[in-house]
Amino acid sequence: MIDRRSLVTSAMALGASTAMGSAATLAKAAAAKPIDPRFPAGFLWGASTAAHQVEGNNINADLWLIENLPGTMFAERSGDAANSFELWPTDLDLARNMGLNSYRFSLEWARIEPDKGHFSNAMLDHYKAMIDGCRARGLNPVVTFNHFTTPRWFAAQGGWHHAESPDLFARFCDRAARHLAGGIELATTLNEPNLVGVIGEILPAALVAGDRAMQEAAARQLGVPLYAPGVALYVQDAKLYRANMMEAHRRGVAAIKAARGALPVGVSLAILDDQAAGPHSMRDQIRERYYGEWLRLAAQTCDFIGVQNYERKVWGDKGPLPPPADARRNTTGAEVWPGSLAGAVRYAWEATRLPVYVTEHGVNTDDDTLRQWLIPAALAELKRAMDDGVPVRGYMHWSLLDNFEWGFGYAHRFGLHAFDRETFVRTAKPSAAVLGAIARRNSL
Ligand code: BGC
C-alpha cells in the first residue's frame, strides 16, 4: 500500500499534455462579492485522526501483517505510531488547547472484535473514555466506525469480498453503537469507500501487482485462499467488494440508528475538485466513475455528507491537465490549491442536497508555512460557498498530528503537531495556532 491520492495524481499526470492557468481563476474568485468572515454559531472546528495511524501496536489489524511481511512495499511498520492508544488524553488536550470544539477519530474494529464474534468490553470502554474525555474538554466527538483497517480474521476470510461482510460490519456497528452512541456527536460508517477498485485501474501496473503479491504472501502465511485488507491497491473483484461495502454502509447506518435514532450518521467520501476544461472535457464522466454511486447512496441513507478533499484536477478531453508552472506543491509534487476544498464541497452539496461536514482537508508537507497559507485561504473559499447557500456545518483538519501515512510511513507529514518517534512528545507547529485563532473567533 502506498498513498493512493498521490499515486492517482502521478499516474494521471502521465497522460496530461496541456498547460492551464490558475491565476485567472483566482482573480475571478477575488473579484466576486466580499466574504462575510463570520461562521455560524455552533460550527464545528476540529482536527481528525484515524486509529491505525496514531494508536500504535494495532497488532490484530489486517495491515499489521502486511507491513511486517518480508519484502513489504510499506516504507516502514506502523509500530508504536504516536502511541495515542495511551496518550489520547494528551491528544485531546492538544485539540482543546488549540481552541477547537471537536475531534474526529476512529474506532479500531480489530481491537473491539479481535476474534470473530468475541467483543471486548474493555476496548469498548476505552473508546467510551475517549468520548467522555472529549465531552469533558468541550470537544464534540465525531466518530468514524471504520477507517480503512479491518480485523485480521476479517481480511483472512476475504474481507469485503465475503458475502457475510455487510452483516459482520453491521454487527460490529450494533455492538459499538449500543456502548458508545450516547456520547457521540456525529457518526460516519466508512472512510472514503468510493475509491475502492477505481484506484487500481489507473495506477501503474507494477504497484498494483506489488500490492497483490503482498496479499498473496499474507494468504500463504495464514493458509487461506484470499487475504483482502480493508485498504488496498489491488482488489480481486472490485464490483463485489464495492457492492458489499455499500450494503455494509446501509446496514451499519441502520444498526447505529437502532441504538440511537437521533444520532446523525453519514459517510466520508474522497472528493477532488474536478474542473472541466474545454468543450469535450471528461470531467462529468470522471465524477460519475469516482463518486456517482456513493453520492446517490449517501443521499438516500445519510443525515450529512463528509467531504475529504486535498486537491483539484482540471480535466481536458483526454485526461487531467498539468498544474500551472507557478503552482505550490506538496511533498509528492501535487498541486496545493486553496480553492479545491470549496469546489469539492459545492459539488457534494449539489449532488446530495445534504448538509456538509468537511471531515478531512490538509496538506502533506514538511514546510509548515505552506499549511499556514493554505488553511485561511481554503477557509475563505469555503465561507464564500457558505455565503452562496451551501450548508457547511463543520471543518476538521487532517491531521491533529503527524502520523502513519500508510505505505509512506512517517516521512509524509500532515500534522498540526509533530511528535518525537522515541519519546512521543508532541510539539505544536505554527499552523495549529493559525487554525486555532480562526476557530476561537469563529471567524476568518
Ligand atoms: C485518509 C487518511 C490519509 C489522508 C492523507 C485520506 O485519504 O482518510 O487516512 O492519511 O487522506 O493521505
Side-chain angles (χ1 to χ4, degrees):
M1 249 315 291
I2 60 167
D3 173 86
R4 295 155 313 123
R5 181 170 306 100
S6 311
L7 284 172
V8 177
T9 307
S10 45
M12 288 183 167
L14 296 177
S17 54
T18 332
M20 53 83 51
S22 68
T25 326
L26 279 173
K28 211 167 114 200
K33 69 173 189 239
I35 302 166
D36 175 355
R38 293 160 306 171
F39 282 74
F43 192 82
L44 290 194
W45 292 104
S48 298
T49 59
H52 189 71
Q53 296 180 269
V54 295
E55 285 182 347
N57 299 299
N58 190 18
I59 60 173
N60 286 316
D62 50 20
L63 286 189
W64 187 270
L65 182 63
I66 298 263
E67 290 162 23
N68 288 283
L69 284 170
T72 182
M73 284 164 65
F74 275 71
E76 55 189 318
R77 339 164 35 240
S78 53
D80 283 333
N83 195 21
S84 292
F85 189 75
E86 297 290 338
L87 297 178
W88 62 265
T90 307
D91 292 344
L92 298 191
D93 289 345
L94 297 179
R96 180 203 46 204
N97 294 343
M98 275 178 66
L100 302 180
N101 63 17
S102 73
Y103 179 54
R104 172 178 179 246
F105 63 96
S106 72
L107 307 179
E108 188 56 55
W109 185 359
R111 293 191 196 271
I112 293 173
E113 191 179 358
D115 288 310
K116 188 176 178 181
H118 295 277
F119 290 84
S120 164
N121 284 321
M123 289 300 143
L124 285 166
D125 283 345
H126 166 86
Y127 291 109
K128 174 114 179 16
M130 285 185 72
I131 290 166
D132 293 346
C134 285
R135 292 289 178 195
R137 291 167 179 82
L139 298 167
N140 289 287
V142 177
V143 175
T144 309
F145 276 59
N146 176 255
H147 194 119
F148 292 155
T149 43
T150 62
R152 183 186 300 196
W153 59 261
F154 182 85
Q157 61 166 51
W160 296 110
H161 291 99
H162 199 291
E164 281 194 300
S165 57
D167 278 339
L168 291 171
F169 181 65
R171 182 173 69 175
F172 160 70
C173 288
D174 166 63
R175 287 299 287 258
R178 280 193 286 123
H179 210 92
L180 306 171
I184 298 177
E185 184 69 18
L186 298 172
T188 59
T189 53
L190 301 166
N191 185 69
E192 303 188 344
N194 59 306
L195 293 185
V196 170
V198 177
I199 286 286
E201 290 169 12
I202 48 183
L203 292 177
L207 279 173
V208 181
D211 191 37
R212 179 178 183 168
M214 289 195 300
Q215 293 175 28
E216 288 173 355
R220 276 195 302 278
Q221 190 170 314
L222 297 181
V224 296
L226 178 64
Y227 189 83
V231 56
L233 305 180
Y234 169 74
V235 175
Q236 190 188 64
D237 183 340
K239 215 170 152 211
L240 177 65
Y241 195 105
R242 283 174 78 86
N244 281 335
M245 285 190 100
M246 295 181 86
E247 189 55 22
H249 163 79
R250 278 191 206 95
R251 294 190 199 178
V253 173
I256 298 168
K257 289 285 190 186
R260 189 179 141 218
L263 172 59
V265 184
V267 63
S268 288
L269 303 184
I271 305 185
L272 300 173
D273 175 17
D274 299 287
Q275 302 175 5
H280 305 292
S281 166
M282 63 190 291
R283 192 270 305 265
D284 293 349
Q285 197 183 318
I286 289 288
R287 278 184 163 172
E288 176 54 29
R289 182 102 191 92
Y290 286 11
Y291 327 109
E293 58 179 6
W294 272 98
L295 287 169
R296 287 189 287 278
L297 182 62
Q300 289 160 12
T301 55
C302 293
D303 299 309
F304 66 91
I305 179 87
V307 172
Q308 314 206 143
N309 171 268
Y310 292 83
E311 60 189 86
R312 71 165 165 176
K313 195 64 66 184
V314 183
W315 297 95
D317 58 349
K318 291 188 190 61
L321 308 185
D326 63 350
R328 299 193 72 171
R329 294 181 185 261
N330 70 9
T331 296
T332 62
E335 181 191 20
V336 180
W337 191 70
S340 77
L341 176 63
V345 161
R346 284 178 192 269
Y347 169 62
W349 155 244
E350 279 158 21
T352 63
R353 297 284 148 175
L354 290 171
V356 176
Y357 287 88
V358 175
T359 44
E360 287 183 28
H361 169 255
V363 56
N364 180 1
T365 185
D366 284 337
D367 173 8
D368 193 59
T369 64
L370 184 57
R371 193 172 290 106
Q372 294 162 48
W373 166 75
L374 174 68
I375 291 171
L379 288 172
E381 290 309 315
L382 184 70
K383 188 57 178 44
R384 189 194 304 282
M386 294 169 68
D387 292 352
D388 288 345
V390 181
V392 185
R393 308 273 197 252
Y395 171 86
M396 278 149 258
H397 191 83
W398 184 270
S399 178
L400 179 67
L401 70 165
D402 291 339
N403 59 53
F404 181 66
E405 179 58 15
W406 309 111
F408 284 119
Y410 294 96
H412 287 215
R413 300 182 182 90
F414 288 79
L416 295 162
H417 298 83
F419 76 95
D420 183 299
R421 296 282 304 278
E422 298 294 321
T423 63
F424 309 115
V425 169
R426 280 87 163 118
T427 310
K429 302 180 191 176
S431 53
V434 171
L435 176 58
I438 296 172
R440 283 180 209 277
R441 286 197 298 270
N442 200 30
S443 183
L444 293 170

